[in-house]
Amino acid sequence: MATTEIPLRGVVADHIRAVNAFDVDAIMATFAPDAYVNDNRREIRGAAAIRRWVQKEMVGEHVTVEPVKVLDHYGDVVVRGRYDGDYDKSGLPEELIMSNYFAIRDDRIVSLTVVFNQASEYEYGDGAEAA
């Protein structure tokens, strides 16, 4: 099967732990120098830009992520996590679950995409279990 549930481990576990500790340097240590992040449909490229995003929007807004499901999809890691923090929650559900798509190379995050997914009528369309 292409997608399997796995335990939280490695650099992704280090990343989540650092986010929840509000530790900018530890978060940055999980990224490759030329990594990119796509958060809220904004692309953030390179260590300096990612550091500014982490300082302002992650650590600055006391964002925490509680993993609820961790999946391996062909070597990439998807973490569905319960988000909380001091960010503007207008229009968001009381329980905010977001999907974090991590691409890992040489034990560093080379890309991270954070998405607030909506339910899809196609999720189980092929008879396979949903990812």
Side-chain angles (χ1 to χ4, degrees):
M1 180 185 248
T3 302
T4 56
E5 195 160 350
I6 61 171
L8 186 63
R9 62 181 178 233
V11 71
V12 174
D14 295 343
H15 178 82
I16 300 290
R17 191 170 28 256
V19 166
N20 291 336
F22 313 120
D23 186 334
V24 173
D25 290 332
I27 295 168
M28 292 309 300
T30 65
F31 284 102
D34 59 349
Y36 73 85
V37 172
N38 189 309
D39 177 53
N40 198 23
R41 298 177 302 184
R42 298 168 301 153
E43 208 166 79
I44 304 155
R45 293 187 167 274
I50 292 171
R51 179 177 284 276
R52 288 191 302 274
W53 169 74
V54 165
Q55 289 171 325
K56 182 176 183 197
E57 295 187 27
M58 299 299 290
V59 172
E61 294 181 349
H62 301 103
V63 170
T64 59
V65 180
E66 177 190 344
V68 295
K69 187 178 250 187
V70 181
L71 303 165
D72 178 293
H73 183 73
Y74 293 99
D76 289 335
V77 178
V78 180
V79 176
R80 294 207 175 109
R82 185 175 295 112
Y83 274 67
D84 201 3
D86 297 332
Y87 52 85
D88 180 8
K89 296 177 182 167
S90 305
L92 295 173
E94 188 172 319
E95 180 182 58
L96 178 60
I97 304 291
M98 304 241 286
S99 296
N100 300 265
Y101 300 89
F102 292 89
I104 311 296
R105 304 295 182 271
D106 299 322
D107 295 321
R108 289 290 174 260
I109 300 165
V110 294
S111 70
L112 167 59
T113 303
V114 182
V115 179
F116 174 42
N117 286 315
Q118 307 298 311
S120 168
E121 68 273 22
Y122 305 110
E123 188 168 5
Y124 298 104
D126 63 0
E129 186 177 330

